[in-house]
């Protein structure tokens, strides 16, 4: 299924069936053997086999696409029932079930995923508080002004937002009952969602003796630096010091792998990516680099009454970044220029 579309499933706009990428028939028609629900035990690069729980499979070329694992804050109470991450269908189902009972939810993390989780839970009738460590929401994608407008829109939906909030502990005896902040503020919680970030899932690659830094080290052909017969793509890889957390670069990487397997030559190039928030009624677009730096100029348009903010960042007569909130219709055009 398409994991990017889990947010509309959580908010009730889509069902699981709507987001299935390919059904069994699609794979069968293309003679692709699928072994779903089976853990991989190990990769043997000398014998060129992958061992699953139900036996071995040989390979000429191997592609590792293990994605990433959610980062769990190492605080007391993190393992209590009712504390979940927002990563897959099981997490989404757990949130939907928790929301049916009503009550209070605390979302730790005010980035893309955290805010999508918060909006979905609020939509389903929970009382939601978002805790965010930084001074404004989505600080990687938004500047302060756009972050403020986003906060205002979310607060209108009844979502409470606390910035510069550091979690000290998760409280509860047999299941989660609350969250304690570093400043000793206590919050009641029937559900805690951790959405503080991801880490490349590299355990299989490490065990197989592949070169791993933060992610599996690959070249521009997406081959692992250790073994040319092993490719890797997506959130588990590191290329030229870059990690990837959005889907656009992954599609590019997959095309490069396909070319390599067909004996053609291609090279992956890191490009700027654009971000959108999948929360109905919050139009947000961010692309490129909008950090303050010497020699850059800004073109800013503000219409506070309509909740519209647009900012273009220009360096050496070229557009290098764009942030838009409230009216994003021309976002893709500016992205093309970047």
């Amino acid at each position: 299924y398409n994991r990017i579309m889990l947010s509309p499933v959580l908010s009730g706009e889509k069902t699981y069936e709507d987001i299935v990428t390919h059904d069994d028939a699609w794979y069968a028609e293309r003679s692709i053997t699928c072994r779903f629900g089976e853990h991989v035990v190990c990769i043997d690069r000398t014998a060129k086999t992958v061992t699953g729980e139900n036996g071995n499979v040989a390979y000429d070329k191997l592609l590792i696409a293990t994605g990433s694992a959610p980062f769990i804050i190492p605080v007391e109470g993190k393992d209590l029932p009712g504390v979940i991450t927002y990563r897959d269908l099981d997490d989404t189902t757990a949130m939907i079930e928790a929301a049916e009972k009503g009550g209070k939810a605390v979302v730790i993390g005010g980035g893309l995923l955290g805010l999508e989780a918060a909006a979905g839970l609020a939509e389903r009738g929970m009382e939601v508080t978002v805790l965010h460590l930084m001074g404004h929401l989505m600080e990687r994608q938004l500047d302060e002004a756009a972050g403020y407008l986003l906060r205002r829109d979310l607060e209108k939906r009844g979502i409470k937002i606390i910035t510069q909030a550091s979690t000290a502990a998760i409280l509860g005896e047999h299941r989660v009952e609350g969250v304690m902040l570093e400043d000793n503020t206590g919050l009641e919680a029937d559900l805690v969602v951790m959405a503080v970030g991801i880490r490349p899932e590299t355990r299989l690659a490490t065990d197989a003796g592949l070169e791993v830094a933060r992610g599996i080290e690959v070249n521009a052909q997406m081959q692992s630096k250790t073994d040319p017969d092993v490719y890797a793509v997506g959130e588990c890889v590191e290329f030229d010091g870059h990690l990837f957390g959005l889907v656009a670069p992954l599609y590019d990487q997959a095309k490069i792998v396909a070319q390599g397997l067909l004996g053609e030559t291609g090279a992956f190039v890191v490009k700027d990516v654009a971000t959108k928030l999948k929360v109905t009624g919050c139009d947000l677009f961010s692309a490129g680099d909008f950090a303050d730096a010497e020699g850059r100029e800004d073109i800013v348009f503000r219409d506070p009454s309509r909740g519209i903010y647009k900012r273009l960042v220009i360096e050496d007569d070229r557009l290098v970044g764009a942030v838009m909130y409230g009216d994003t219709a021309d976002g893709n055009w500016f992205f093309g220029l970047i």
Side-chain angles (χ1 to χ4, degrees), residues 274-311:
T275 304
K276 283 178 177 169
L277 184 70
K278 288 177 292 300
V279 172
T280 309
C282 289
D283 285 324
L284 172 159
F285 177 88
S286 165
D289 179 6
F290 48 84
D292 289 325
E294 213 171 300
R296 288 187 173 179
E297 62 176 308
D298 283 4
I299 302 174
V300 178
F301 170 81
R302 279 192 180 89
D303 183 345
S305 61
R306 286 161 62 214
I308 292 174
Y309 168 84
K310 299 183 181 194
R311 176 176 166 219

Side-chain angles (χ1 to χ4, degrees), residues 21 31 50 68-70 87 89 93 117 195 205 209 223 257 264 272 274 298 301:
T21 317
S31 310
V50 174
S68 56
R87 199 74 201 133
L89 185 69
T93 307
Q223 292 163 304
V257 171
E264 299 164 11
D272 278 313
D298 283 4
F301 170 81

Side-chain angles (χ1 to χ4, degrees), residues 148-169:
Y148 167 76
L149 287 175
L150 174 61
R151 175 177 184 153
R152 198 179 69 174
D153 277 359
L154 291 169
E155 284 175 340
K156 280 181 195 164
R157 295 163 183 248
I159 297 170
K160 187 179 177 190
I161 289 163
I162 305 174
T163 49
Q164 290 172 322
S166 182
T167 305

Side-chain angles (χ1 to χ4, degrees), residues 6-27:
L6 284 173
S7 293
V9 173
L10 176 61
S11 65
E13 292 167 62
K14 286 192 185 300
T15 64
Y16 167 64
E17 287 70 31
D18 293 336
I19 71 163
V20 170
T21 317
H22 299 303
D23 58 11
D24 293 350
W26 188 92
Y27 293 110

Side-chain angles (χ1 to χ4, degrees), residues 54-55 196 268-269 304:
N54 306 331
V196 289
F268 175 68
V269 178

Side-chain angles (χ1 to χ4, degrees), residues 145-264:
Y148 167 76
L149 287 175
L150 174 61
R151 175 177 184 153
R152 198 179 69 174
D153 277 359
L154 291 169
E155 284 175 340
K156 280 181 195 164
R157 295 163 183 248
I159 297 170
K160 187 179 177 190
I161 289 163
I162 305 174
T163 49
Q164 290 172 322
S166 182
T167 305
I170 294 169
L171 313 172
E173 296 241 333
H174 305 296
R175 61 168 291 113
V176 67
E177 291 168 24
V179 175
M180 180 64 77
L181 300 183
E182 292 284 4
D183 65 3
N184 285 336
T185 307
L187 300 163
E188 286 177 39
D190 304 292
L191 175 73
V192 171
V193 181
M194 280 209 199
V196 289
I198 53 174
R199 284 187 171 168
E201 179 50 87
T202 56
R203 289 174 295 183
L204 278 171
T206 304
D207 293 348
L210 295 171
E211 198 176 317
V212 173
R214 289 179 301 163
I216 303 166
E217 296 261 23
V218 294
N219 63 17
Q221 284 66 49
M222 305 315 294
Q223 292 163 304
S224 73
K225 287 190 174 173
T226 322
D227 184 338
D229 288 331
V230 179
Y231 293 80
V233 295
E235 292 179 345
C236 64
V237 308
E238 181 172 344
F239 172 68
D240 215 6
H242 293 272
L243 296 176
F244 306 92
L246 294 168
V247 77
L250 166 59
Y251 288 140
D252 291 344
Q253 292 169 3
K255 282 174 186 157
I256 298 297
V257 171
Q259 287 175 338
L261 295 176
L262 292 169
E264 299 164 11

